[in-house]
Amino acid sequence: MFIYKSDVLPYPSTNLIAEVFLLLFLACLEVMRLLLGKKGNLTERKLSLILSILLSIPVIVGVIYLILWQTYVLRLEIIVGAIQLAFLVFELLFGIIAVITFARAEVF
């Protein structure tokens, strides 16, 4: 999508580079968040799930930035970003429920 926007729209090169790096950084955060959430869920460890929940916050902020405050925002980006935000909220809620469940089931 950035290739299309850089070809068609008068995109300032510094903004393009910054937004591509932001997108790559968000992708790395998202991979770490998903791996921690999967590991925490399969092993029923609270720490991994809590770290996954905490990593959700900067990912949500980044997606909101990409939806609202990019230099140029396409309608397709708004749709994809809204779907991603919906999944992030559901994953966040289910992660909190899982942490509460694992904390209650802990044997001393």
Side-chain angles (χ1 to χ4, degrees), residues 18-97:
E19 289 177 3
V20 168
F21 277 127
L22 174 67
L23 189 64
L24 293 174
F25 179 70
L26 280 176
C28 292
L29 276 180
E30 187 72 15
V31 167
M32 288 189 309
R33 185 186 70 80
L34 289 172
L35 288 176
L36 283 170
K38 180 181 175 182
K39 178 183 173 188
N41 190 30
L42 291 176
T43 60
E44 295 185 3
R45 295 192 183 224
K46 294 180 293 190
L47 181 63
S48 295
L49 281 175
I50 291 171
L51 289 174
S52 174
I53 290 169
L54 290 176
L55 281 176
S56 295
I57 296 167
V59 171
I60 289 172
V61 170
V63 171
I64 289 173
Y65 172 82
L66 290 174
I67 290 175
L68 298 178
W69 300 305
Q70 262 190 108
T71 305
Y72 296 106
V73 182
L74 302 177
R75 185 174 294 134
L76 180 62
E77 289 175 317
I78 293 172
I79 294 168
V80 171
I83 293 169
Q84 185 177 2
L85 278 177
F87 278 113
L88 281 167
V89 169
F90 282 125
E91 290 171 3
L92 187 64
L93 290 174
F94 288 130
I96 292 170
I97 291 169

